[in-house]
Amino acid sequence: MRLPSLPTLALSLALAAPLPAAAADLIGFWDAPRHGGNSFNRLPPDAAYFQALRGYGASWVRLSYDKWKPERRDFLIGDADDYRQLSAPDLKTLKAALARADAAGLKTVVAPLSLPYSRWAQNNGGRFDDRLWQDRERWDAAARFWRDLARELKDQPGIAAYNLINEPAPEKQGGLSEYASAGERRDWYARQRGGARDLPAFYQHIVRAIREVDPDTPIMLDAGWYASAGGFAYWPAPLDDAKALYSVHMYEPYQVTSAPNLKRAKPYVYPGPAPYGGRDEIWNRERVGAHLAQAFDWAKARGVPAARMVAGEFGCVRQLDDCARYLDDVLTALDRAGAHWAFYAFREDAWDAMDYELGKKKVDWRYWDAMEQGKPDPVTRNAGPEFEPIRKRLAAGRE
């Protein structure tokens, strides 16, 4: 995301202002719809990567570092089983990547996939780590981690927000169905409120720790149940923080948009009928819009402006027939709502299924060879039809 040019006098004043005053306006970046992409790469992205994303017109990147090679067991955390302090070499690597994004003109949202006592499943033998949601005392380790990280990053140029944890799911082993109704979600929360699975309380605990060292950087909060559009339904109120953003992810209907669909003898198609919540439903532009509306209706009812709502991820497997149509329908709903968004994913070097610049063909063998050898991805990308719904909107929003 590129900030508009300032008149000479205003620019001089901005440069002369003390750092806290400049940082205090960070939430202003989000006052107009911002469009970007996700970076979930196995290697820290180089300058060309960020320049390419910016070249399409993106204004921000949602950056995850959990696939990068760590100093110890878990990148930056050291050991999610026993957090002591930030890894100095890992922090240096992260700051260097942030500087490259900033130099390219992109704002960055820092998005950990792991926290202390909550290791990302793909770094945990495929097992969901529920420990953080079993004991409130474990929240303190997560709070210390975020306080430490915010202290280090609060003066780092180009940071647009801290996304506290990617796709939390305290409900997963807590007795609440992913497809529960809004009423069932509220009833569940009434029983969990004040306990270890109370996601709004967890977030408030982390935010208080961050605000002890960084009063200015916006904070992005994923909804529960893996950031589902209905995941805010049980939240009685927005968080007590004026610089909070609320994020959902969109891959529904998952039976259609995910890679396993392509392995079926007769894959589900879009638009069309697909299983969802135990029954078949017709998924089309209207159904996609209605699904996403759960989040926006919650926000409107509680006085949360559209400018504080984010679709932090959305996508479909690129080889799905009419994937481009699905992307266009999702983006139409998001644009109508006035929400910020970041597509999943931009030039991912570890998983090609949602890399729309690759089109529908199988990825070049060099992609897999580079992955096995730990080398940079050598495959050239092009903006073809599958990427067009995203490309044209990024270009239209170019500053």
Side-chain angles (χ1 to χ4, degrees):
M1 282 147 217
R2 233 43 81 229
L3 294 176
S5 299
L6 294 171
T8 302
L9 177 59
L11 180 58
S12 299
L13 291 173
L15 291 173
L19 197 57
D25 192 44
L26 286 175
I27 192 63
F29 172 78
W30 299 102
D31 286 345
R34 302 294 184 173
H35 305 150
N38 277 272
S39 178
F40 274 52
N41 286 17
R42 58 182 169 81
L43 297 177
D46 61 13
Y49 173 95
F50 292 121
Q51 290 163 2
L53 180 57
R54 176 56 189 155
Y56 277 121
S59 53
W60 66 290
V61 59
R62 183 169 176 266
L63 183 67
S64 168
Y65 51 73
D66 289 75
K67 294 179 183 178
W68 301 354
K69 185 177 180 180
E71 178 197 20
R72 295 177 58 209
R73 173 70 173 83
D74 301 289
F75 192 91
L76 205 57
I77 297 174
D79 187 346
D81 302 333
D82 184 21
Y83 174 69
R84 301 295 180 90
Q85 61 186 14
L86 299 177
S87 163
D90 293 352
L91 180 63
K92 182 179 180 181
T93 299
L94 174 60
K95 286 186 173 183
L98 294 170
R100 290 193 291 272
D102 182 58
L106 288 170
K107 297 291 186 183
T108 301
V109 172
V110 180
L113 308 184
S114 297
L115 289 180
Y117 296 112
S118 181
R119 183 177 285 118
W120 181 44
Q122 291 188 37
N123 286 346
N124 196 44
R127 300 182 302 276
F128 176 75
D129 190 351
D130 190 59
R131 291 175 295 167
L132 190 61
W133 314 117
Q134 296 174 359
D135 186 344
R136 282 190 64 139
E137 289 189 7
R138 291 173 178 159
W139 294 6
D140 292 338
R144 284 191 293 107
F145 164 76
W146 260 117
R147 186 190 297 111
D148 293 346
L149 186 56
R151 184 184 290 111
E152 290 289 342
L153 297 185
K154 64 185 178 68
D155 296 330
Q156 179 82 24
I159 295 200
Y162 305 139
N163 195 167
L164 298 190
I165 180 64
N166 179 70
E167 297 187 347
E171 309 90 348
K172 184 179 177 72
Q173 295 183 9
L176 180 67
S177 168
E178 184 176 2
Y179 305 103
S181 68
E184 290 170 333
R185 293 173 192 263
R186 288 190 291 268
D187 289 344
W188 176 86
Y189 182 64
R191 298 189 299 272
Q192 302 294 331
R193 195 165 187 174
R197 298 188 186 277
D198 186 338
L199 183 60
F202 168 78
Y203 278 149
Q204 197 71 67
H205 187 70
I206 305 300
V207 169
R208 288 193 191 100
I210 290 173
R211 293 306 184 217
E212 290 175 8
V213 298
D214 181 354
D216 300 313
T217 303
I219 290 175
M220 191 175 290
L221 309 170
D222 282 11
W225 252 121
Y226 294 110
S228 67
F232 289 122
Y234 63 72
W235 288 38
L239 214 65
D240 182 19
D241 191 276
K243 298 179 180 179
L245 302 156
Y246 301 88
S247 177
V248 296
H249 296 178
M250 179 58 178
Y251 298 102
E252 299 296 353
Y254 189 73
Q255 296 275 19
V256 176
T257 65
S258 60
N261 183 33
L262 301 180
K263 297 179 180 180
R264 294 188 175 95
K266 186 178 181 181
Y268 297 113
V269 299
Y270 180 88
Y276 181 79
R279 63 179 185 276
D280 282 355
E281 295 185 13
I282 301 296
W283 281 83
N284 51 25
R285 174 170 289 198
E286 291 72 27
R287 182 66 182 89
V288 162
H291 182 80
L292 285 166
Q294 296 176 90
F296 303 125
D297 290 348
W298 171 87
K300 185 176 181 179
R302 287 155 183 82
V304 177
R308 299 296 175 258
M309 299 300 293
V310 185
E313 291 183 24
F314 64 90
C316 62
V317 61
R318 61 185 173 83
Q319 292 173 316
L320 172 73
D321 287 342
D322 280 325
C323 175
R325 183 171 179 178
Y326 174 82
L327 294 173
D328 191 65
D329 288 350
V330 171
L331 285 163
T332 296
L334 297 175
D335 292 343
R336 185 182 299 124
H340 313 287
W341 52 258
F343 68 92
Y344 193 95
F346 186 63
R347 300 186 179 181
E348 185 168 346
D349 58 4
W351 188 61
D352 70 297
M354 293 187 180
D355 188 341
Y356 311 109
E357 290 177 292
L358 295 173
K360 290 186 179 296
K361 296 180 180 179
K362 289 185 177 181
V363 71
D364 192 294
W365 65 269
R366 294 175 301 156
Y367 181 95
W368 307 111
D369 189 54
M371 189 186 306
E372 288 180 5
Q373 298 183 43
K375 295 181 178 180
D377 176 5
V379 176
T380 301
R381 268 75 165 179
N382 297 291
E386 289 72 31
F387 193 52
E388 184 59 16
I390 296 167
R391 187 211 62 78
K392 67 181 181 181
R393 287 172 170 86
L394 292 178
R398 192 189 309 272
E399 297 174 3

